[in-house]
Amino acid sequence: MSRFSNYLKNLLNQNNEPIASVARSIHAERTSIHKALSDERTLPYWVVHALANHFHLSPEERREFFRTYEMLIQGEDAWHNRAAVSDLLNHLSSLHFQPTPLNSNPLTPPSSFVLSEDLVEGEYAVQNTIYTLLRQEISENTNTVFRLFLPSGIDLSAIFMQLWLGGADFHVEQFFWFPTSVHNDYSQNIRTLRQIIPLCLIARDSYHPYYFYEHPSYLSINPLNYYIITPHYLILIAQDQSSAYVHRSNQMIRLYSDYFQELKINCEPLTSFPADVPAVLEKYASFTRPKGSFTLMSQPCFGRYYTPELIAKYLRCSDDCRPSLYEATIRRFSLVQNIDKDFYTVFSEKGLQYFAETGILLEMPPEYTPAIDLDDRRLLLSQLREDIASGNIIGLIARPSYLHLPDYLFLYADPDGDTIFDTTTNYIYGAYYCDIHISEKSVCRAFQDFFRSLPGSQLVYPQEDTLRILDETINKCGGA
């Protein structure tokens, strides 16, 4: 029995109402509800919505009811993957990147504190020791390098972000393990990106994550199998963070450093960073294929409508870089125009309105692309609206009560595998400051499935609402 059928059965039992009476009340077929109780039939969404209203479900009960229904429709593994992607996007949307003076950091180690070679017990004491050690090493050394392999319960992204935003000079190399599984639940791998992406955005080449595959049972053999290596310390950490051992021995530090370097050779880098805008555009062109394109950012993707004339009209750059940038731009968007299926663009109503009002394209640095004039704005929006209405593309507006899109990020998922995050002009350091390229297959597959699951889901508006919003935007853009 599925979670949904059990939940529905409990609702009927708690309310002690015959199925025939419920079916009459919501204008549904009695047999369809009967068969749904034994998973012989899947109820349409409107019936599930009507049932939630009929039983006067509270917001929490309603959320759980629809959660079990979506698990039934999508399969539990797929649902967990898609929920993890949605949670990741919502998390990234909540982040604020503001420079912070280092002397305002509350984690500055006390001047009298000295780390001794000893066993540390208690989760709070372990985390406090780690924070203090990091701060101490950074304050006493320049170009400090940390090498990490941490248990899932320790997330240092907040402290690292604060230090990098404050101007601290250090580098981090970190291992992540992705579990092997006979199932297709990759949600843990997606959750790992909650730590990785913010650090890549802030640190760029100062942060290098690597991954390897391992069976979870292997990791429990050694009671202190996680570690942090610094220039002067080695901390071995228990999986449950209940204890850690601090080493100051140069021999132990060198032993683990050598082991880390050896393991790194046999691991895959999780991200890579092209050097400049033409390189990024060339990379996009190399991944653009006629079989599909998945893009997500606060503004719609207008790439299908960028003609050579429009590009020549708005492309601005120095004479030295213009030929290469122009050629890369033409090549990329000519390929985008040839995509004949699975063209998804997911955007927000706020981002749509911002483009209509300002003409600013968030995906391009302002020094390269000035604001689009009013007539061209209206043309781009009209072409987008026509393609969505005709079914040539899948255009989806995120429903803000369920899905938040980070306005400083552009996400591209290639149907053959790769996933790319780029910063937009809304990012603190500007568009294309950081281009994060992920090739790990389970993560990329989860993003592809997420895009394909969006039409008809509660995360986005129905098509009729999307077209209505576009019509209103076009009318405003035309001065109506």
Side-chain angles (χ1 to χ4, degrees):
M1 299 290 288
S2 68
R3 295 173 187 259
F4 176 77
S5 60
N6 284 331
Y7 200 103
L8 180 58
K9 183 179 296 184
N10 289 335
L11 283 177
L12 292 166
N13 291 338
Q14 290 168 8
N15 288 271
N16 196 26
E17 185 176 0
I19 292 177
S21 173
V22 174
R24 282 195 301 271
S25 175
I26 65 173
H27 306 290
E29 294 183 4
R30 176 180 57 83
T31 54
S32 66
I33 298 178
H34 266 297
K35 291 185 176 182
L37 291 172
S38 58
D39 292 325
E40 296 178 54
R41 180 177 296 181
T42 301
L43 295 175
Y45 179 82
W46 74 265
V47 173
V48 178
H49 188 271
L51 286 168
N53 290 337
H54 176 82
F55 290 120
H56 306 294
L57 298 184
S58 69
E60 288 189 5
E61 291 171 331
R62 191 183 187 92
R63 188 179 298 110
E64 180 63 15
F65 188 45
F66 281 101
R67 186 179 76 89
T68 61
Y69 176 70
E70 290 172 356
M71 282 185 172
L72 175 66
I73 296 294
Q74 301 174 12
E76 289 201 25
D77 288 342
W79 183 88
H80 284 297
N81 293 338
R82 292 162 186 169
V85 173
S86 177
D87 289 344
L88 171 66
L89 294 171
N90 290 335
H91 170 70
L92 293 174
S93 298
S94 70
L95 298 179
H96 300 283
F97 300 94
Q98 295 295 332
T100 305
L102 280 177
N103 57 13
S104 69
N105 194 312
L107 296 175
T108 301
S111 57
S112 60
F113 185 88
V114 177
L115 283 173
S116 59
E117 184 162 317
D118 200 359
L119 180 68
V120 179
E121 295 187 277
E123 186 173 340
Y124 175 79
V126 168
Q127 295 207 10
N128 188 58
T129 298
I130 292 172
Y131 293 160
T132 303
L133 179 145
L134 296 175
R135 294 285 303 182
Q136 180 171 299
E137 289 284 70
I138 290 172
S139 65
E140 295 179 354
N141 304 280
T142 58
N143 251 343
T144 305
V145 178
F146 299 120
R147 296 182 173 92
L148 316 175
F149 179 45
L150 300 175
S152 57
I154 296 181
D155 180 359
L156 299 182
S157 56
I159 177 64
F160 282 151
M161 281 180 62
Q162 193 172 24
L163 290 167
W164 269 313
L165 284 168
D169 181 17
F170 64 99
H171 298 263
V172 174
E173 295 180 340
Q174 184 169 3
F175 286 143
F176 293 90
W177 66 274
F178 288 169
T180 55
S181 172
V182 295
H183 303 291
N184 294 314
D185 183 353
Y186 310 124
S187 55
Q188 177 176 318
N189 301 350
I190 296 296
R191 285 193 291 270
T192 299
L193 298 182
R194 290 168 63 101
Q195 300 180 45
I196 293 173
I197 291 176
L199 296 182
C200 289
L201 291 173
I202 291 297
R204 298 178 78 188
D205 280 344
S206 291
Y207 179 71
H208 293 277
Y210 300 85
Y211 70 94
F212 62 91
Y213 296 100
E214 195 54 78
H215 194 282
S217 63
Y218 171 79
L219 297 172
S220 62
I221 295 174
N222 187 335
L224 298 173
N225 48 313
Y226 296 92
Y227 50 86
I228 297 175
I229 308 168
T230 81
H232 302 99
Y233 295 95
L234 167 68
I235 299 186
L236 302 180
I237 309 166
Q239 184 169 358
D240 61 0
Q241 307 104 57
S242 62
S243 59
Y245 195 91
V246 180
H247 287 276
R248 300 185 67 183
S249 162
N250 290 333
Q251 290 86 349
M252 287 294 293
I253 295 171
R254 186 165 56 252
L255 174 66
Y256 269 77
S257 296
D258 291 345
Y259 172 72
F260 189 98
Q261 295 295 347
E262 181 181 347
L263 184 58
K264 189 170 73 172
I265 294 172
N266 296 300
C267 289
E268 293 290 335
L270 191 58
T271 60
S272 61
F273 306 94
D276 53 29
V277 175
V280 173
L281 293 173
E282 282 293 346
K283 183 186 67 176
Y284 275 118
S286 68
F287 289 120
T288 301
R289 300 173 181 86
K291 66 189 305 182
S293 171
F294 305 101
T295 62
L296 178 150
M297 68 172 177
S298 61
Q299 290 184 343
C301 176
F302 294 114
R304 290 171 67 87
Y305 320 117
Y306 294 157
T307 63
E309 295 75 21
L310 199 66
I311 293 171
K313 179 178 179 180
Y314 288 103
L315 190 64
R316 302 282 190 273
C317 56
S318 66
D319 292 339
D320 291 339
C321 74
R322 181 177 173 84
S324 61
L325 185 58
Y326 179 77
E327 290 171 7
T329 305
I330 289 290
R331 180 166 177 259
R332 178 192 174 191
F333 292 118
S334 64
L335 291 169
V336 169
Q337 290 158 16
N338 290 325
I339 296 174
D340 55 6
K341 63 177 181 178
D342 279 350
F343 187 99
Y344 284 66
T345 174
V346 184
F347 53 98
S348 70
E349 188 173 358
K350 179 181 176 182
L352 180 71
Q353 300 301 330
Y354 180 77
F355 171 75
E357 293 170 6
T358 68
I360 295 174
L361 293 171
L362 296 180
E363 63 181 304
M364 288 296 289
E367 62 268 26
Y368 294 147
T369 308
I372 307 298
D373 66 38
L374 198 60
D375 288 340
D376 287 331
R377 271 180 253 170
R378 183 178 174 85
L379 176 62
L380 291 173
L381 290 168
S382 298
Q383 291 173 311
L384 175 72
R385 195 262 183 220
E386 182 180 345
D387 266 354
I388 294 175
S390 63
N392 289 335
I393 69 171
I394 308 296
L396 304 166
I397 299 179
R399 196 190 295 268
S401 54
Y402 290 97
L403 180 62
H404 300 279
L405 307 186
D407 64 0
Y408 60 88
L409 278 183
F410 170 82
L411 167 62
Y412 171 80
D414 170 57
D416 283 337
D418 296 63
T419 301
I420 302 169
F421 290 84
D422 270 311
T423 57
T424 71
T425 58
N426 281 338
Y427 185 56
I428 183 175
Y429 300 124
Y432 294 116
Y433 173 80
C434 183
D435 176 271
I436 305 169
H437 183 177
I438 301 174
S439 299
E440 200 283 319
K441 295 306 178 186
S442 68
V443 169
C444 295
R445 192 176 302 119
F447 277 103
Q448 296 163 34
D449 292 344
F450 172 77
F451 275 98
R452 291 195 171 98
S453 72
L454 286 175
S457 77
Q458 63 181 354
L459 298 181
V460 296
Y461 287 123
Q463 187 185 57
E464 57 268 25
D465 290 340
T466 298
L467 295 176
R468 174 184 55 78
I469 292 170
L470 279 167
D471 286 334
E472 293 172 355
T473 304
I474 292 168
N475 289 334
K476 290 179 182 178
C477 194

